[in-house]
Amino acid sequence: MSLHHLMLFLHVLGVAVWVGGMAFAWGCLRPAALALPPAQRLPLWAASLARFFPLVWAAIALILLSGFYMLFEVGFAGAPRAWHVMLLTGLVMVAVFASIWFGPWRRLLHAVQREDWAVAALALGAIRQRVGFNLALGILTIAIATLGLGL
Ligand code: HEM
């Protein structure tokens, strides 16, 4: 096993945790939690995301460190165009996640503490939209990385 393969493993592991977690939240937890009243649904989301979001930061650290390592192995200029696009879409995903962390996630936590369900529901709606966007961009990025998509 070379260092390159270890980096590729860590890269794809980070991607699996991040994109897989978003797919679970969107496709499984969201429809199931809709059956609960707000006073149960919103604390459930706050408690689940409080565990998932730190994992996302760890995944981002792994993806960026390993990704830049593999990119600099061949050099920026020598890298296929698909890798440059992966870097771009990956950085957009990181920016969107940071906007969730510093924005609606803070609002959701404070509103759940105050038991202000109307504000909490609004904050969760904003998180849902941005996670949906990042899920779509994550799937597109995996397609770019593996299929090239003619880039
Ligand atoms: C943001 C910075 C990123 C950088 C600098 C980067 C860089 C790279 C590089 C250089 C490789 C090529 C490894 C090789 O084939 O030898 C790679 C592979 C891969 N990347 Fe990224 N990446 C980034 C983000 C992402 C993101 C956000 C995703 C998915 C959501 C992703 C998904 C993948 C996948 C699935 C592979 C494996 C491709 C394969 O082996 O066929 N990357 N990445």
Side-chain angles (χ1 to χ4, degrees), residues 24-69:
F24 171 76
W26 243 81
C28 309
L29 187 54
R30 190 176 64 99
L34 277 177
L36 298 173
Q40 290 177 9
R41 187 167 54 88
L42 295 157
L44 171 70
W45 273 111
S48 316
L49 296 177
R51 289 166 175 82
F52 178 54
F53 283 169
L55 280 181
V56 174
W57 280 121
I60 287 173
L62 278 184
I63 291 169
L64 291 184
L65 285 173
S66 57
F68 278 109
Y69 175 88

Side-chain angles (χ1 to χ4, degrees), residues 5-144:
H5 284 116
L6 180 65
M7 290 295 164
L8 189 57
F9 164 71
L10 294 175
H11 197 73
V12 177
L13 182 65
V15 169
V17 168
W18 190 5
V19 179
M22 290 193 293
F24 171 76
W26 243 81
C28 309
L29 187 54
R30 190 176 64 99
L34 277 177
L36 298 173
Q40 290 177 9
R41 187 167 54 88
L42 295 157
L44 171 70
W45 273 111
S48 316
L49 296 177
R51 289 166 175 82
F52 178 54
F53 283 169
L55 280 181
V56 174
W57 280 121
I60 287 173
L62 278 184
I63 291 169
L64 291 184
L65 285 173
S66 57
F68 278 109
Y69 175 88
M70 294 185 292
L71 197 59
F72 287 122
E73 270 180 332
V74 297
F76 227 75
R81 183 150 349 136
W83 293 11
H84 289 128
V85 178
M86 171 166 29
L87 169 60
L88 183 72
T89 55
L91 290 181
V92 172
M93 287 176 67
V94 174
V96 171
F97 177 68
S99 85
I100 295 173
W101 176 263
F102 293 108
W105 169 233
R106 294 290 138 104
R107 292 202 293 279
L108 176 69
L109 273 183
H110 293 142
V112 166
Q113 274 162 10
R114 293 194 314 268
E115 301 193 0
D116 184 343
W117 306 128
V119 171
L122 275 179
L124 185 63
I127 293 175
R128 176 179 56 80
Q129 278 181 352
R130 292 181 211 183
V131 168
F133 176 85
N134 254 2
L135 176 58
L137 196 55
I139 292 169
L140 180 71
T141 307
I142 294 173
I144 291 167

